[in-house]
Each structure stands twice: as C-alpha cells, then as structure tokens.
C-alpha cells in the first residue's frame, strides 16, 4: 500500500446529528446540545465543524450585532476548547419568510436586500469563528414555475450578490454548492459546471470556488467523481459533501458508500489523484442518520462514513498501478473492470 498523497481533514455540520423528523413525521430522537456535538466530532476523529449562520447564532434575525458577536465568540471558545476549527459558515437562506420565493433572485428588491444583508452577517460570523470560507447552497434560487422569473436575470442577480460579498470582505472565499432541485423545482445554478462558470463572471474569480455534494450530483443524473474531476481541473474544488443517494429520489444524505460502493471508491480515487487537501481543502460529510436509528446510536452514520472513506483510501493506495497501466494500454477494459471489482470485494485477482 502506497502512502496517501492527500492530506485529509474531516468535518460535518451540527445538522448531521438530528432528531429524525421527515416531511411525513415528527422528530423521533431527543435534541443533542452543540457542546455534545463537538465532543462527538472530537471522539470520532473529526477535525472541523461546518456551520450555518444560525447554528452559531440561533434566531439570528432577532439579534443585535453585539449579541451576535457575543454568541459567536462563545462558539469559537467551545471549538478551541475541543481543538476543533470551523470549516465554513453558510447563510441558512431558505427558512425565513423573506426567502419564500428566493434570496438573491427574489422578485422583490426589498426581499433581495434581506438575503444580501443576511449573507453579510454570515460573513461576519464566519470571521468571528475563525474561518475564511463562505458556503452558498442556493436553495431557493430557481423556480417552481419557470415563467415566474427570467433565468438570465437570476444568473446576473446571483453574480451581483457574489460581487457584494467579495467586496464586503477582501479575504472571504466563496464556495458554491450546486443542487439541481429540492426545495425548488428547478435550480438556476444546478450543477458544478454552473457553479464554476458563474465564478468567472464575478469581480474576483480567484475567490470563488465550489463544493461538490455526492447526492446533488446524483440528483442531477451525473457521477459525483466526474463532477469532482471537473472542478479539480479548474482548481476550484475547495470542499466536498460526501454522502450517498439512491439515484433520483428525494435528497437522502445516506452514509458515504452506503448505496454504491464503487461510486464512492471513484470519488476517493479522484481526490487522491489530485493530492486533495494539500491546499487546505476539507473532506466534509453531509450525512443523515436513518430515522429508525435510536438516540444512543444516532451518530453511527458519521463514524461509518469516515471509516468507509479511509477503507476506500486503502483500496485506492493499493491499486496495482502497473497492471492498471498494462490493461489500459491493451484496451482490455473488461479485465480492468474485473480487476477493480476484485479489489473492491477483497478477492484475490
Ligand atoms: C442541502 C444541503 C445543505 C448544505 C448546507 C451547507 C442543509 O441539500 O446539502 O445542507 O450542505 O446548507 O451549505
Ligand atoms: Mg450539502
């Protein structure tokens, strides 16, 4: 087994330890306090935590700048106490009544302003918890019925908003996390190609990158490892949300590798080929415990996802690269297929 080239640091978000509610039923597990979630992260060998702005400051819209700073400082202290760092902060722009019909692309100028101001606050919180990464999952930037908006205008409105954020903080790096649908019928920045592309429209493309979530690629009918490869070729893959997804259903956020191990293997393979992490990129998970899981075992999805990543990394670093090259040269892809299946199944080739 070769030594990995990548430098892997792992993170998850507080929403990844949840109470198990779904659109058809109420919570089934007791809530867990933030401090306890940080302890879980530490115990499971994670290095960082991903945040929404209102994970750091609950009921953020009702609080003053002083109160926000006080609560953010408290979270920073808790993180320091555990030896954890904040990977990123993301504005939760899909909850407030102001964003029912979108944030930066809302048809009302006043409501667009709300989304922009809220995001500036998220950037301030990002600084307070010691991060320079702002993640934007553009949840409601799209349409429920296409005629309600003009697509080209939406793209330019998002560009204009990105420019405001780049100007608000000269150090902020923006990571766009695309998803094709849910909650909207059709998102305007739906794939990683769109995310990379819009970065080039901004005033400072060097500070706009992206985040590939496995499930979001699959929901777009694409392979996550190909999406990662595309972003890596642009040096724009600044984070990932690894998870799994049973094809084009609702967004499942299953444990990494749970549905399709070979698909997960190929994600690790492309990250390792790039020596991912050498520029400080994180391996984030965005996984959900099954609703059936009892409270005491409600964090196994986090332990399992990380373990699967490391097991697959072992597989990647033990690829017989000489044999692989020979089979590729001979164009014997049936044999190459058998070799990789044997490798994944732990069978002698
Ligand atoms: C939705 C997501 C989001 C984002 C999060 C951080 C709630 O499908 O994946 O999780 O990852 O908002 O940007
Ligand atoms: Mg995500």
């Amino acid at each position: 087994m070769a030594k990995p080239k990548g430098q892997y640091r792992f993170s998850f978000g507080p929403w990844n330890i949840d109470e198990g509610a779904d659109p058809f039923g109420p919570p089934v597990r007791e809530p867990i306090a933030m401090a306890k979630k940080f302890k879980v992260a530490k115990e499971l060998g994670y290095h960082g935590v991903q945040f929404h702005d209102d994970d750091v400051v609950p009921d953020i819209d009702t609080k003053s700048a002083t109160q926000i700073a006080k609560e953010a400082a408290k979270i920073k202290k808790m993180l320091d106490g555990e030896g954890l760092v904040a990977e990123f902060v993301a504005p939760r722009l899909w909850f407030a009544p102001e964003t029912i019909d979108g944030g930066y692309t809302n048809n009302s100028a006043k409501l667009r302003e709300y989304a922009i101001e809220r995001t500036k606050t998220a950037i301030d919180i990002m600084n307070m918890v010691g991060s320079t990464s702002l993640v934007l999952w553009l949840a409601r930037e799209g349409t429920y019925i296409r005629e309600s908006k003009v697509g080209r205008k939406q793209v330019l409105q998002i560009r204009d908003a990105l420019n405001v954020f780049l100007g608000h903080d000269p150090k902020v790096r923006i990571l766009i996390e695309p998803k094709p649908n849910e909650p909207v019928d059709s998102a305007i920045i739906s794939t990683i190609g769109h995310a990379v592309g819009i970065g080039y429209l901004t005033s400072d493309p060097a500070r706009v990158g992206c985040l590939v979530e496995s499930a979001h690629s699959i929901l777009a009918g694409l392979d996550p490892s190909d999406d990662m490869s595309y972003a890596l070729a642009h040096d724009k893959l600044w984070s990932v949300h690894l998870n799994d997804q049973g094809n084009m259903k609702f967004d499942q956020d299953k444990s990494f590798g749970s549905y399709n191990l070979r698909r997960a293997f190929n994600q690790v393979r492309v990250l390792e080929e790039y020596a991912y992490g050498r520029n400080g990129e994180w391996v984030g998970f965005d996984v959900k415990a099954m609703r059936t899981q009892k409270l005491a075992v409600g964090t196994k999805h986090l332990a399992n996802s990380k373990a699967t990543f490391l097991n697959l990394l072992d597989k990647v670093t033990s690829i017989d690269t000489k044999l692989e090259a020979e089979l590729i040269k001979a164009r014997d892809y049936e044999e190459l297929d058998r070799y990789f299946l044997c490798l994944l199944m732990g069978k002698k080739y």
Side-chain angles (χ1 to χ4, degrees), residues 15 52 88 90 94 135 137 177 179 213 216 241 251 286:
W15 65 90
H52 291 121
F88 67 71
W94 51 95
V135 166
W137 168 46
E177 178 182 349
K179 181 177 177 182
E213 172 160 328
H216 297 179
H241 269 177
D251 186 7
D286 194 356

